[in-house]
Amino acid sequence: MTNKELMMRAIELSKESVRNGGGPFGAVIARNGEIIAEGSNNVTIECDPTAHAEVSTIRKACRKLGSFDLSGCEIFTSCEPCPMCLGAIYWAHLDKIYYGNDRKDAAAIGFDDDFIYQELDLKPAERQKPSEILLREEALEAFRMWQEKEDKTEY
């Protein structure tokens, strides 16, 4: 499939999602023009705030390929990824992102991801969600264990 055909599939998935009670977002992961996985936004359907189209599609692609590394694959998504999805895309090592709508288009219909992008630029103490370090020394033990583990699978 061409890039335009793959993007059209992501857009169609976003429309199907709206018709089925989900959010207006769809995504496709492909390798060499072949669809590996596809999905749509199921936040309200599954009562899961992480069930965005991109995250759901990454999960499906990883299961299908039996790997957490999606190098060699590209993602086609109907809208510019939110910060969570962008993070997942980087963690999955996808090679390239294609998107239809941008975050301003999403904000115009009530999906204002820009707020989170702005929060990320702030120091933790300045963010709207309070956070504090608690039991750091105890938590560092797992990091020491990881660092010393010789048979770990790095990612």
Side-chain angles (χ1 to χ4, degrees):
M1 296 178 79
T2 67
N3 287 350
K4 286 184 179 179
E5 290 171 324
L6 292 163
M7 181 56 77
M8 283 302 301
R9 180 62 186 145
I11 292 167
E12 184 54 38
L13 288 164
S14 72
K15 293 175 184 178
E16 287 176 20
S17 183
V18 172
R19 286 191 288 270
N20 295 327
F25 306 98
V28 170
I29 292 176
R31 183 170 53 196
N32 300 321
E34 179 185 337
I35 294 177
I36 303 298
E38 59 182 40
S40 59
N41 182 286
N42 290 313
V43 169
T44 57
I45 294 167
E46 296 178 9
C47 296
D48 179 353
T50 69
H52 289 203
E54 298 91 337
V55 170
S56 298
T57 304
I58 287 169
R59 289 173 179 160
K60 289 177 186 176
C62 289
R63 281 193 300 271
K64 182 174 182 177
L65 297 177
S67 176
F68 52 79
D69 186 340
L70 298 178
S71 296
C73 298
E74 299 175 325
I75 189 164
F76 297 79
T77 181
S78 63
C79 187
E80 181 178 1
C82 74
M84 176 185 70
C85 292
L86 185 61
I89 288 166
Y90 274 91
W91 285 122
H93 303 287
L94 287 155
D95 290 357
K96 189 168 183 177
I97 305 165
Y98 297 90
Y99 59 90
N101 300 315
D102 65 21
R103 66 175 118 162
K104 291 177 184 170
D105 297 322
I109 63 165
F111 293 92
D112 194 4
D113 302 337
D114 195 49
F115 164 73
I116 300 171
Y117 280 106
Q118 290 174 24
E119 285 282 292
L120 291 172
D121 285 336
L122 299 174
K123 295 176 185 172
E126 297 171 354
R127 294 178 185 155
Q128 288 193 26
K129 295 283 182 191
S131 63
E132 66 179 87
I133 294 175
L134 183 63
L135 298 177
R136 180 174 180 265
E137 286 304 314
E138 291 81 353
L140 283 172
E141 181 60 28
F143 280 16
R144 285 190 282 275
M145 291 170 62
W146 172 260
Q147 194 170 22
E148 294 167 5
K149 187 172 177 60
E150 293 182 18
D151 61 342
K152 63 187 168 217
T153 301
E154 297 197 31
Y155 56 97

